[in-house]
Amino acid sequence: MKTNRFYIIVVAVALLMTSCRNNDSQMLTIINEDGTCSREMSFHPYPKEVMAQLNEPIESSCLHFGTDWQRTWSVAGDSVRHPCPMTEAQWDSLRRPEENVSNKILMHTKRNYQNVGEMSDSLTSIVGHLFKATASLDKHFKWFYTDYLYQETLTITDIEKIFSVPLDRFVSADTASYWFTGQPNLAEGLTGAEQKELLDAIEAGISHWFSACTMSSICDFIANVHYDEVKNPPVSKEQFLALKDSIVMSPTVRNLDLFCNISQVSKIIKDFYHSDAYTPLFSDSTKWERRLETKYKSYEYLMMMAPQLVYVMPGKVIDGGAGVIEGNVVHYKFSGERMIPHPYDVVITSRVTNVWAFAATFLIILVAIGSFFYRHKRA
């Protein structure tokens, strides 16, 4: 019996993330004083992407770019940009034994926008609505300077469709946030042994959640797609759905191994109902693998997203929120799972000095002083 495909996805993605977290993928966002902006995405491409003609849209790891995006490529670590499409000769010139050319080059896609709302709508479209981006830019004029407040929120679209069982039934809100985002730091002040104990407990809760979501999806498939195939079911379809939560939250689901196979799921249902009526539904494991693979495909794509978010603001950044400030640049660490417990927020405030305001104030003071001495002299 083959392994449950969903767990293969989870583990494969986890391994993938260990090699992709430190890659060169980046989303550079530049905000201008007049409210216009631009966004450039850089990533390691496959040949068909970087060699595509400019009048053809491209897709890379579920990112969709239309023909309105400017495209260039560069060798990783080199600032020189080359026009797309890349030729096969250029690709072959970078080929070395046992080296992947894709890892040696970066493709850059860039687009300009009239405002940040247009830019955030574009991002939602680029990711195929896996998550929704919303952004705002507020200007606060304060005579000698102008403050710019940029806010962007990324929220998983219809997370209930991906994870049908609420996460807060297994871990607290703070615990979930710590596991997926690192904040709040629940391990602060703990010894190494205490941290391990904490993480082991959280991991058990998160694993139970994954297993419960999988079991819930399987029960839904049985009830909504296959129930007519069940001979002499012990309960009606309506009762089966009503009892689904009892199965999902049962200790047997909690104790499922990470690499559980579909026969284990079959046994859980058999033992719960004390009946073999549902067992024939699990005779074809590949059918369930395909269903679960489709069910969690969005999750797989989300886990593959881990670009560094870089924001360039007008003037000097005075508050970078959760980001790291370097002059007028703010770096945010991002990955798809950070949106699971709650929306991912970017909040940045920068300040532009109004030189003309200082000049105008100086002239006003000079005029006032001049007027004072002129009146005094006439008196």
Side-chain angles (χ1 to χ4, degrees), residues 134 136 138 148-153 309 311 313 317-325 330-332 344-350:
T134 55
S136 64
D138 297 315
Y148 290 78
L149 174 61
Y150 176 76
Q151 299 181 82
E152 185 165 34
T153 299
L309 307 186
Y311 295 87
M313 296 290 293
V317 176
I318 57 177
D319 186 354
V324 178
I325 302 174
V330 183
H331 300 265
Y332 270 76
Y344 184 91
D345 293 315
V346 173
V347 182
I348 305 172
T349 303
S350 67

Side-chain angles (χ1 to χ4, degrees), residues 94-101 103-104:
L94 297 170
R95 193 186 302 275
R96 297 290 185 275
E98 299 181 359
E99 285 187 347
N100 189 337
V101 178
N103 293 335
K104 297 176 62 176

Side-chain angles (χ1 to χ4, degrees), residues 299-372:
Y299 172 74
E300 182 183 9
Y301 283 146
L302 283 171
M303 296 306 99
M304 291 174 65
M305 293 182 181
Q308 179 181 190
L309 307 186
V310 181
Y311 295 87
V312 179
M313 296 290 293
K316 181 180 180 181
V317 176
I318 57 177
D319 186 354
V324 178
I325 302 174
E326 294 181 0
N328 67 331
V329 179
V330 183
H331 300 265
Y332 270 76
K333 190 175 180 62
F334 173 79
S335 54
E337 75 268 22
R338 292 169 186 264
M339 295 182 288
I340 290 177
H342 50 67
Y344 184 91
D345 293 315
V346 173
V347 182
I348 305 172
T349 303
S350 67
R351 176 167 294 174
V352 173
T353 301
N354 299 324
V355 177
W356 60 266
F358 284 91
T361 301
F362 181 71
L363 287 175
I364 292 172
I365 293 175
L366 284 181
V367 171
I369 293 175
S371 298
F372 172 78

Side-chain angles (χ1 to χ4, degrees), residues 43-58:
F43 52 90
H44 293 292
Y46 290 105
K48 66 177 182 179
E49 299 156 5
V50 73
M51 294 183 188
Q53 296 300 312
L54 297 181
N55 61 354
E56 299 176 5
I58 62 171

Side-chain angles (χ1 to χ4, degrees), residues 230-243:
V230 181
K231 297 180 179 180
N232 301 315
V235 296
S236 67
K237 173 182 174 180
E238 292 71 25
Q239 290 174 309
F240 183 85
L241 285 172
L243 291 169

Side-chain angles (χ1 to χ4, degrees), residues 84-95:
C84 284
M86 186 183 196
T87 66
E88 290 188 17
Q90 289 171 320
W91 181 277
D92 291 338
S93 69
L94 297 170
R95 193 186 302 275

